[in-house]
Amino acid sequence: MFGDSRMPDRPAGSTSGEPEPASGTAESAASWTRRRLGNTPVFFVVGLLAAVVFTIGWGYALMSYSGSGGASVQVVSWQTESQEASVSFQVNSDAPAECVITARDDKHVVVGQKSVDVESGIRDVTATVDTIREASAVEVGSCREQSPTR
């Protein structure tokens, strides 16, 4: 009578061609979701597969990383002099190992380095490193087991 009283199919700002669910009814919202996304739980399955692949990969990385080559090191003592630094340490390894001794000054600059070969088993080792100036600390930087075909 006084004009067209019909409501528009979609809101004025909507550019989507998809119909909006009727507000207030759970059934029509579920039906709209099924039409929009389908009946298959695609997002859930893809997310679950991604989580499984990530978990397996992370577990493999943790299992394959065996610390510092399988040799464990414990520094017992160290001492520095003007052009020399010495360190006493204990190595426990299943195979012969190569340990790198590093001497550093008070500004953490490397002033001397030496590689020491250690036999397999539990061994007490004392190594001396020549330095270019007085060191303030000595450390066993790494200790890795060596393969038999070196």
Side-chain angles (χ1 to χ4, degrees):
M1 297 182 135
F2 293 109
D4 192 77
S5 62
R6 290 187 351 198
M7 293 190 69
D9 290 341
R10 60 184 173 270
S14 175
T15 58
S16 170
E18 296 294 324
E20 296 291 324
S23 60
T25 63
E27 182 179 326
S28 60
S31 132
W32 177 81
T33 304
R34 260 190 246 108
R35 276 192 314 239
R36 179 86 170 134
L37 302 176
N39 286 329
T40 58
V42 175
F43 297 114
F44 177 76
V45 171
V46 169
L48 184 64
L49 287 175
V52 166
V53 168
F54 177 78
T55 303
I56 290 172
W58 187 259
Y60 177 76
L62 289 177
M63 293 296 286
S64 65
Y65 180 76
S66 61
S68 62
S72 62
V73 179
Q74 177 69 44
V75 175
V76 177
S77 67
W78 54 269
Q79 180 179 348
T80 62
E81 295 177 18
S82 61
Q83 298 288 312
E84 191 175 83
S86 64
V87 62
S88 295
F89 58 99
Q90 188 176 59
V91 179
N92 183 3
S93 65
D94 294 333
E98 181 181 19
C99 300
V100 177
I101 313 302
T102 305
R104 298 180 185 270
D105 67 3
D106 58 348
K107 294 185 179 170
H108 306 286
V109 176
V110 175
V111 294
Q113 193 169 36
K114 182 178 184 179
S115 178
V116 177
D117 291 325
V118 180
E119 295 178 13
S120 61
I122 299 175
R123 302 287 179 195
D124 291 325
V125 181
T126 300
T128 302
V129 180
D130 293 328
T131 61
I132 57 174
R133 61 180 169 266
E134 188 172 358
S136 63
V138 186
E139 65 182 358
V140 180
S142 68
C143 211
R144 295 190 177 267
E145 290 182 348
Q146 301 299 308
S147 64
T149 59
R150 191 172 175 206

